[in-house]
Amino acid sequence: VAYKPNANTSYYVGIANSQDPSGGDLAFTGRSLESITEVSNLDPQEAKSYELGAKWDLMDAKLQVSAALFLTEKTVLDTNDEGGYFLAGEQESKGFEFSANGAITEQLNVLATYTHLDSEITKDFNPETQGNGLSSAPENSASVWFNYELDKLSFGAGAQYSSGNIYWRRNMAYFDTGSQTVFNAMAGYDVTDKLALQLNIDNLTDEEYVTDYSARGHFRPGNPRTMKLTVRYQF
């Protein structure tokens, strides 16, 4: 449901419900027919989402700004000590997000986002797990990218920030990747109407960070500084 009081402002409320059959992802896993049948007889895994937001067109509609509050509740599949399947309970994610996208001047454009997220297990067959957070769900994340165009030249620079991923195990925050900020940059030049060059440098400062962690203690490092030169020719 959307309400637009004037040409540059709109407010909306959104409600969504998605249901995933519990046995749908087990057909090609090599599990026994008995296990697949057991799971298929369960109620679907359900996700309910609620969102309240607003959008504004600023600077003669050249810059779009938006903000939203959101809440998602999801039932999840789990196994007990005997290997039986059941819907374990509920997980919840809630927070707010802000974004800005558009032109600041005729040459300068910006794309910026910020998200704050609180996630936890709200219901579970094991009371000790209630209140635990969800793995790989950073509390704060943000990104910003500026692009400047001048005739045949274009320059871009930006950064991506994450407060870090926390991985839960044994009812505790078992491993925290720590916060990281990754800077990126680009430069482009139109040699002719058909030929263009572009240089991208990702992770400009060669930041060392972790992007994933497993229960066995293995982790995946983030990409190091990467430089890429692209030549595009349009026939």
Side-chain angles (χ1 to χ4, degrees):
V1 177
Y3 171 63
K4 195 173 180 67
N6 55 60
N8 298 321
T9 306
S10 62
Y11 304 97
Y12 68 91
V13 175
I15 300 175
N17 184 306
S18 63
Q19 300 190 19
D20 181 20
S22 297
D25 57 350
L26 296 180
F28 300 100
T29 60
R31 297 183 183 271
S32 66
L33 180 61
E34 180 181 355
S35 297
I36 296 176
T37 302
E38 179 184 358
V39 176
S40 299
N41 289 332
L42 296 174
D43 292 335
Q45 299 178 81
E46 187 176 32
K48 298 179 181 178
S49 298
Y50 310 89
E51 185 170 336
L52 172 65
K55 298 180 180 180
W56 301 273
D57 291 334
L58 307 177
M59 302 173 63
D60 295 328
K62 294 180 180 179
L63 180 66
Q64 290 76 45
V65 177
S66 64
L69 300 172
F70 60 86
L71 168 66
T72 299
E73 298 172 330
K74 180 182 179 181
T75 57
V76 292
L77 183 69
D78 204 349
T79 58
N80 56 26
D81 295 337
E82 289 75 31
Y85 293 90
F86 64 102
L87 293 178
E90 291 185 355
Q91 299 176 351
E92 178 184 275
S93 297
K94 60 184 178 181
F96 62 89
E97 58 186 359
F98 172 84
S99 67
N101 181 23
I104 299 177
T105 68
E106 292 184 0
Q107 290 81 26
L108 183 63
N109 290 270
V110 63
L111 173 61
T113 62
Y114 169 74
T115 302
H116 176 77
L117 179 66
D118 289 322
S119 62
E120 65 175 332
I121 298 174
T122 54
K123 294 182 181 179
D124 197 85
F125 77 100
N126 182 1
E128 294 182 358
T129 65
Q130 295 186 25
N132 286 358
L134 302 183
S135 293
S136 191
E139 183 177 0
N140 296 291
S141 57
S143 66
V144 62
W145 180 261
F146 293 98
N147 194 74
Y148 185 81
E149 296 184 0
L150 181 63
D151 296 329
K152 295 183 178 182
L153 282 171
S154 61
F155 302 94
Q160 296 172 310
Y161 167 80
S162 173
S163 60
N165 293 324
I166 297 177
Y167 292 86
W168 288 79
R169 185 183 176 195
R170 300 173 184 172
N171 299 323
M172 61 181 295
Y174 195 79
F175 182 78
D176 188 346
T177 64
S179 63
Q180 71 268 347
T181 302
V182 178
F183 296 93
N184 307 306
M186 65 80 64
Y189 179 69
D190 294 331
V191 181
T192 67
D193 293 339
K194 296 183 177 181
L195 179 63
L197 306 176
Q198 182 170 312
L199 174 66
N200 289 78
I201 305 179
D202 297 331
N203 194 359
L204 191 63
T205 60
D206 203 20
E207 175 80 5
E208 296 182 354
Y209 62 100
V210 175
T211 62
D212 196 8
Y213 178 80
S214 73
R216 296 184 177 181
H218 301 157
F219 67 88
R220 178 182 299 171
N223 292 328
R225 182 191 297 118
T226 304
M227 292 177 285
K228 180 174 68 174
L229 177 63
T230 303
V231 180
R232 295 193 304 271
Y233 186 84
Q234 181 179 351
F235 293 92

